[in-house]
Amino acid sequence: MVRLLAISLALAALSACAIAPNPAEPGWADTLLADAPPGEAPASVNTEPLDLDLRRELLTSAVTTQMRGQTIRLAGLRLRAPTLDTAEFVVEARERARPPEPR
C-alpha cells in the first residue's frame, strides 16, 4: 500500500513538472522591449515660475476639489448615521435575540 502511494505521488509530481510553463521562453513584452531602440534620458523639470493665470487656475481647481471632497465626506457621514428606523431595528433585534424566560 505504501509503495503504491509513493509511486502515485512520484507520478503526480512528474506530471505537474511536465505541464509547468517554461520560464526561459521570452514573452511578447520582452520581445517588444528588445526590438525597441533605446530611449532618451528624461527631460529635466522646468524650474521657471508658473504663469499667474495658470497658477490661479490651478489653485482654484485645488480649492474646488477640496470643497467637493468635503461635501462628499459629509454626505457619507449623513448616510451612515443612525436614523429612527435603525434605532427601532436594533431594539427589535435585541428583543428577538433575548432567550425566553424559563417557566
Side-chain angles (χ1 to χ4, degrees):
M1 182 70 181
V2 175
R3 187 178 296 162
L4 179 64
L5 182 63
I7 291 172
S8 63
L9 286 176
L11 286 174
L14 284 174
S15 62
C17 290
I19 63 171
N22 186 0
E25 296 176 7
W28 61 270
D30 295 328
T31 305
L32 284 177
L33 289 173
D35 293 342
E40 295 180 6
S44 62
V45 177
N46 188 5
T47 58
E48 295 177 17
L50 293 176
D51 182 39
L52 288 178
D53 291 335
L54 179 61
R55 184 179 173 92
R56 189 175 298 118
E57 184 180 338
L58 288 174
L59 289 173
T60 304
S61 176
V63 169
T64 304
T65 303
Q66 289 175 354
M67 289 173 59
R68 284 184 185 170
Q70 182 66 21
T71 303
I72 291 170
R73 281 190 292 278
L74 291 175
L77 288 174
R78 280 194 302 271
L79 288 173
R80 286 192 305 249
T83 61
L84 186 59
D85 294 336
T86 308
E88 290 174 1
F89 176 77
V90 169
V91 170
E92 263 182 47
R94 284 184 183 156
E95 288 175 3
R96 280 190 248 137
R98 187 175 301 137
E101 304 220 2
R103 294 183 183 182

